[in-house]
Each structure stands twice: as C-alpha cells, then as structure tokens.
Amino acid sequence: MNIKINRAVRGAFICAGLLFHPCGHAAAASRPNIVVLVADDWGYSDVGAFGGEIATPNIDSLARAGMRFSNFHVAASCSPTRAMLLTGVDNHRNGVGNMPEAMPAVHEGKPGYGGVLNDRVVTLATLLKDGGYHTYIAGKWHLGKTAATLPGQRGFERSFIQADSGSDNWEERPYIFLYDQASWFDQDRPTHLPADYYSSSFIVDKTLGYIKAGRADGKPFFAYVAFQANHIPVQAPRALIDKYNGRYRAGWTALREARRQRAVELGLIPKDAAMVTMASTADWDALTPSQQRYEARRMEVYAAMGEAMDQQVGRLIAELKRTGEYEHTVFVFLSDNGAEPTDPYDIPAARLWMYMHYTRDFDRLGGKGAMSSLGPSWASAAASPLSTYKFFAGEGGLRTPLIVAGIPGMQADQISSTLTHVTDIVPTLLDAAGIARPGATYGGRRVEALTGSSLMPVLQGAAQRVHAPDQAIGYELSGNSALFKGDYKLLRNMPPVGDNQWHLYDIASDPGEVHDLGRALPALFAEMQRDYAAYARDNGVLPMPAGYDYKVQGQIYAVKHVLLPHLREAAPYVLAALALLCGWLLRRRRRRNDARAATGRASSAGA
C-alpha cells in the first residue's frame, strides 16, 4: 500500500515547498522542525505497529499519523548505520567501514576504515544548521570521541552524548570490558551524569531543554534523539518489568510465531511468507521450569525497557503538542540495526569482568548493578518474521522499522513495501526542509555525493518506489555482505551464522529468506554477484582476514585499548615495587649469609 492524496492537497504542499528557503524570516517560519528518534538494537517486530506485543502507544501514534516502511534497511551494527543516517553516504565512503571495536588490525587506518566520520562528508546537522536550523543531539553518538570528531565539529549546536557503543542505563559506568569508563560529553567536553540518571528519561530531558532554550528566536530545530534502549545492559524501572510478569511464559518460539502472524495481519509481510527456525534458537521445552522462569524474566526486562523509551517519546510529543509545535514537526523513527543476540557471559574474556561488575540474580534483573541481555533465542523472536539478527546481513540484521510522520499533506496510517535504505533519510529531510543537497564541494572542500534517494515522492503519493528495479544497492560489514536489486537480494553471511557462500532471495515474497533462488535464476544470480564485485571495488571494501570473528576481535580491542594502557600506566609502579622486593630479598639473603658466616666462625673458634 502507498499513499494517495488528491491533487489539491498535493498542489498545496508543492506550493508551500516553494517557500522553503534557507534564508529569511518567512522561510524559517514555513519550514518544519525535524525530530529523528533512533532506537538501539530493536528487532523488526518490537514496535506494536510492526507486530509486537510490547506497549509502544506513542511510537504507534506516529505510525497512525504517517507511513510505515516495511522494507527499510540499515547496517547490521550501530555506528555504520548512524554514519549513513547522518551523511546519506555509504559507510565505506564516510569513514566508518567498520566500528572500531570490531575492526581487524589489517584494516585500521585504511581509506574508509577510520572508524569515525571523515572530512569527505558533510552531515545533515551541518546542512540544516547552515540553512537556519537549531541543531541538537542527545544520547548515543559512537562516531568518535576526540576533539575533532565530536558533535560540535559535525554541525550540532548543542550536544550531550555517549561516545562509546553503549554504557550502563542507571549509572555512569561502562557496560562491558571494552572500555575503562563511560565516555559522556557535554558540548564536546568530558562530563558526568546526575545521581538520578536513567538513560531514556535523561536523553529526553536534554532534548526538551535544548528545544525550550532555542524557542525564542523562532528558528526551526533539528533534534537527533539517540536512545540507548534496548542496548546491553537491558535495564528498566521495576514497575514496568513487573507489568510483563508471565507474559513470555510460552517461550521464544511461540513469540516468534505470534509476531509473524500479527505482521501478516497488519499487512507488513505476505500472508504466505515462510519463516525459518534459526539454528541458534534453543528448545524452550527442554529447559527446566526454573530456567524458563529466568529466561522469561530477561524478555520481561527487555519489553519494559522498550516501553520506558516509548513513554519518553510520548513525553516529547506531549510537550510539542502543548507548545503548538507538533503540527509543524516531521518525525522519523528507526532502529539502528536488528536485535542483539550476544550474551556477554558467553564471551570467555568478558565473563570474569561481568562477574566482577554485575549480578545476574533473578530478583535484580533490570535494576542497578544487574546485567541482562536477550541472547540469540529471544533475539530470533525480536527479529520475527526475519532470519538472523544484529551483526549479520540477513533481513533480521538489516531490516528494521521505519516510521515517517508530519510531512504536510500526507495521508495517515499508510504502509509502503518499497525497498528503502538508511541513506535515503538525509535527502528526504533536506527536501522537507527545502535545503539543497551539497554539490561536489562544501565549505571549501570536496565531499562525497549523497548515495540515497529522497522518499518524498512515496510520502507524497506521487510514486510507489524511489529506487529503480535495476538499481543495485550494495552492503558490507565485517565480511557479511548483501546486494539489493528490485525485489531481489544477494546474501553472504560468514560463520557461525552463515556458510560464507552467496545465496539469492526474493525478499518481497520471501522476507524470511527461506527459498534460495540461486539455482533457479542463474543469470540473475551471476549478474548480482558482478554487481556486488563492482560495489566492493568502487567503495573500497576490504576483504576480511582469515578466521575473523567479531567476538574475538572485541576481546583483542579490549586488550589493546584497555588492558595494555593500564599495564603501561602501572609499569613504573610495578617496576619500583619489583626493585624494592628484589632489594629486600638481596638484603635478606645477605643477612642470612652473614649469620651463617658468623655461626661458622664461632664454631671454628670453639673447636
């Protein structure tokens, strides 16, 4: 389904668009505010409007007011998605060919693999700021934490950000052994969190404060609201956790099937779409009652964390309605990748650190000092009805919910099944703001061209798709690769999830990637492999070293960036202590030798 609007409404919107210009008071007054809401590690069907049972009434209200994109794709990890979301440029061209924590040493420093945004891209925030917008960010950044790579250098006027892949949601502390501290920055300066901190409410507090402070001059605002929910550690207020008590007693397989059925009823996937059972999904019935109770609690905490975030989205919406700004605001909601399958306790090098810093006690799950995660079995339910999850290039890793609302004249409660990509967001929002796309140069330097396409024709009802059926859209991250072309997808996943071989799927009719068409369509299969080779060559995609494993690479990162620096810092003290110990041992040995010599002389004299 796609929007249909009458010619009068469409004409009024186009005429209004002619007034959109980055200069002048009248133009500023006519341009919409823009709010981008980024959820962290939410699976495709975690949102109620996408088939989930988690209470997300406020996000669902945006879906009813706007359009859901049921075939929207991001990267399978956070910072590459965020880099493309803010630049509209493929992650290998914008500098984030991989996130630093997962990058093998042979890739470090190579073109496209800096792990931070490079100088060849201009961000949406910069373009909007230069066009007369206030620009704000609160929450997760993960695109650099040096003076030159923080938000203030990339177009954000006000910022309060978490620079790492994540951190604790209740306290100022790292969530995993990859970091020795939680790196928070206020206006690009290191800062600390308040004692009453909880991530979702704090991030919205900051956003509302920025909006209020900038309201007086009448300029429109761009607010990038980057939640930590539902990234590890999965944590939420106890009252919300208890609300879901018993909700997941039937287990992950039952939940995966229920969500699939609901997605069919909503019109998000074909009614006859098949669904795989992932090899990493455990047998729920084989668990003991106590194990089932514990596992169900993990999902209860996850659901509560999602609802807690939705409540804060509701608080933001309510304030914009109270001030009369809601009707003039464009909203974009998405998740940065699919559901997180990793349990930190399953990583050998992380296990001891976890036991030293967090508890897993049932009664404390979700609270301060407690570590919880989904694990691969619940992640398969969160990804329903898709295959795989975060880190991998299956639809469960790449396809996430996208909601766009607030475009003037658009019909409400629509679903578009057209193929869309995270790089489409920047050109869409530039069109909404009436700001021209950057050319070959910007700010006196050469910049990469936008690789995405504006979704405005689909949002306005003027077209059913924005990407031509023969347009190839490539993807690669940590060796997991894909290429989209019309309704077809070429896919290669590395072990342990995949076999490192190419497969071909029709993701329009088979979003669950069940039926491999490689043998049935050999000409298309070969053509898309050539297309991928061209994409990899043109975008500087580097081959992965033999034996690469993202979990092992994370452990190497921790040794290099946390353990060894601490050892180097401690080295002078350790050496001094060793010198003192050696001196003490030498003196002790000398005294013993002297005592033995004296005893010998005494014995000789007596004789």
Side-chain angles (χ1 to χ4, degrees):
M1 293 184 288
N2 290 284
I3 17 178
K4 298 178 181 178
I5 57 177
N6 61 50
R7 292 181 180 177
V9 171
R10 189 181 304 164
F13 175 71
I14 294 172
C15 291
L18 296 176
L19 299 176
F20 291 173
H21 191 275
C23 301
H25 177 75
S30 68
R31 288 177 293 161
N33 303 312
I34 297 170
V35 174
V36 175
L37 304 163
V38 186
D40 202 335
D41 292 357
W42 282 35
Y44 181 77
S45 56
D46 277 334
V47 178
F50 279 76
E53 74 297 326
I54 299 172
T56 56
N58 298 294
I59 298 171
D60 296 346
S61 73
L62 295 177
R64 290 192 299 273
M67 177 175 282
R68 282 167 284 175
F69 289 84
S70 62
N71 193 9
F72 170 69
H73 295 84
V74 295
S77 290
C78 44
S79 56
T81 289
R82 293 161 196 268
M84 290 190 282
L85 174 63
L86 286 170
T87 66
V89 175
D90 182 86
N91 59 298
H92 300 89
R93 288 184 173 271
N94 65 36
V96 191
N98 207 332
M99 58 183 190
E101 297 85 350
M103 192 179 303
V106 293
H107 290 179
E108 291 179 3
K110 298 291 177 63
Y113 288 82
V116 298
L117 291 179
N118 60 36
D119 291 333
R120 298 193 304 277
V121 289
V122 55
T123 68
L124 175 63
T126 294
L127 295 168
L128 291 176
K129 183 180 179 182
D130 291 349
Y133 273 71
H134 288 301
T135 54
Y136 313 131
I137 177 174
K140 181 172 170 178
W141 173 244
H142 200 203
L143 292 172
K145 52 185 175 183
T146 63
T149 59
L150 287 165
Q153 303 302 310
R154 306 306 308 213
F156 285 99
E157 174 187 328
R158 300 290 302 275
S159 63
F160 200 113
I161 61 98
Q162 161 58 248
D164 299 318
S165 64
S167 64
D168 195 275
N169 294 283
W170 288 113
E171 302 173 272
E172 186 184 321
R173 58 188 292 195
Y175 76 101
I176 201 168
F177 68 114
L178 294 173
Y179 316 105
D180 58 0
Q181 64 180 12
S183 299
W184 285 91
F185 292 84
D186 183 2
Q187 294 300 101
D188 292 359
R189 294 185 296 271
T191 192
H192 297 287
L193 299 175
D196 61 348
Y197 167 78
Y198 179 68
S199 64
S200 292
S201 54
F202 179 82
I203 287 166
V204 170
D205 284 345
K206 284 295 176 184
T207 301
L208 290 174
Y210 294 156
I211 293 171
K212 181 179 179 180
R215 187 173 286 138
D217 61 13
K219 290 169 62 175
F221 65 81
F222 165 51
Y224 181 85
V225 189
F227 293 99
Q228 292 192 175
N230 282 354
H231 194 282
I232 295 173
V234 180
Q235 296 168 316
R238 181 60 181 262
L240 285 179
I241 298 172
D242 289 343
K243 173 182 174 180
Y244 289 90
N245 189 30
R247 178 64 181 80
Y248 299 105
R249 63 169 63 95
W252 36 67
T253 300
L255 181 63
R256 181 164 165 82
E257 178 55 40
R259 287 190 175 193
R260 178 202 169 276
Q261 184 58 38
R262 178 62 177 154
V264 168
E265 293 169 359
L266 291 171
L268 295 164
I269 64 167
K271 63 180 180 180
D272 56 350
M275 183 174 69
V276 300
T277 297
M278 296 185 220
S280 57
T281 301
D283 181 357
W284 179 262
D285 293 331
L287 302 181
T288 66
S290 62
Q291 288 173 327
Q292 290 181 348
R293 179 171 173 264
Y294 187 89
E295 290 295 335
R297 191 60 165 180
R298 294 171 75 181
M299 188 63 199
E300 291 165 9
V301 175
Y302 182 86
M305 191 177 191
E307 182 173 350
M309 192 197 92
D310 180 82
Q311 289 181 352
Q312 297 307 313
V313 172
R315 191 159 67 94
L316 174 59
I317 290 173
E319 177 61 15
L320 294 180
K321 286 183 175 180
R322 186 190 70 80
T323 60
E325 294 166 300
Y326 175 82
E327 298 299 328
H328 307 288
T329 301
V330 171
F331 291 89
V332 175
F333 169 85
L334 71 151
S335 175
D336 64 349
N337 47 247
E340 167 69 82
T342 308
D343 184 339
Y345 288 90
D346 291 338
I347 302 174
R351 192 174 301 127
L352 177 60
W353 189 95
M354 287 293 163
Y355 281 124
M356 292 171 61
H357 292 85
Y358 282 100
T359 179
R360 302 177 79 184
D361 290 350
F362 178 92
D363 292 333
R364 293 184 59 187
L365 288 182
K368 286 186 179 182
M371 170 60 67
S372 187
S373 61
L374 272 187
S377 297
W378 284 122
S380 73
S384 179
L386 310 175
S387 180
T388 79
Y389 24 58
K390 181 179 177 179
F391 300 116
F392 298 96
E395 290 294 275
L398 302 186
R399 189 186 294 210
T400 71
L402 171 67
I403 298 169
V404 180
I407 300 296
M410 71 182 299
Q411 284 190 350
D413 201 13
Q414 299 295 299
I415 295 175
S416 172
S417 60
T418 188
L419 175 69
T420 49
H421 191 261
V422 65
T423 54
D424 299 334
I425 302 299
V426 167
T428 302
L429 295 179
L430 289 178
D431 281 358
I435 293 176
R437 303 179 191 186
T441 62
Y442 193 88
R445 69 179 190 273
R446 293 190 62 82
V447 295
E448 296 280 355
L450 301 185
T451 54
S453 299
S454 174
L455 301 177
M456 200 62 75
V458 173
L459 293 165
Q460 293 175 357
Q464 291 190 348
R465 64 169 68 225
V466 298
H467 298 288
D470 61 350
Q471 179 184 351
I473 302 174
Y475 167 81
E476 187 276 342
L477 186 63
S478 292
N480 300 305
S481 312
L483 185 118
F484 301 90
K485 198 170 188 178
D487 291 339
Y488 294 95
K489 176 184 175 184
L490 183 71
L491 170 65
R492 181 179 63 194
N493 273 319
M494 295 182 69
V497 165
D499 58 6
N500 204 25
Q501 301 298 311
W502 287 116
H503 302 272
L504 179 66
Y505 301 100
D506 179 345
I507 58 170
S509 62
D510 180 25
E513 296 172 319
V514 177
H515 306 294
D516 185 355
L517 302 176
R519 291 186 177 180
L521 301 172
L524 179 63
F525 191 39
E527 174 188 309
M528 292 182 68
Q529 289 181 61
R530 291 192 297 271
D531 289 336
Y532 178 82
Y535 160 78
R537 180 185 65 249
D538 294 345
N539 290 275
V541 175
L542 297 177
M544 299 304 294
Y548 173 86
D549 183 298
Y550 75 94
K551 293 182 181 179
V552 173
Q553 188 59 46
Q555 296 172 64
I556 294 171
Y557 179 92
V559 169
K560 182 177 178 180
H561 293 275
V562 179
L563 179 60
L564 290 181
H566 281 309
L567 290 177
R568 283 194 292 266
E569 290 175 4
Y573 303 100
V574 172
L575 291 174
L578 288 173
L580 290 172
L581 177 61
C582 290
W584 178 78
L585 291 172
L586 287 171
R587 287 194 298 272
R588 184 181 179 189
R589 182 177 180 181
R590 188 177 298 117
R591 285 196 298 269
R592 286 181 176 176
N593 289 339
D594 290 346
R596 287 173 182 165
T599 301
R601 288 193 296 270
S603 299
S604 298

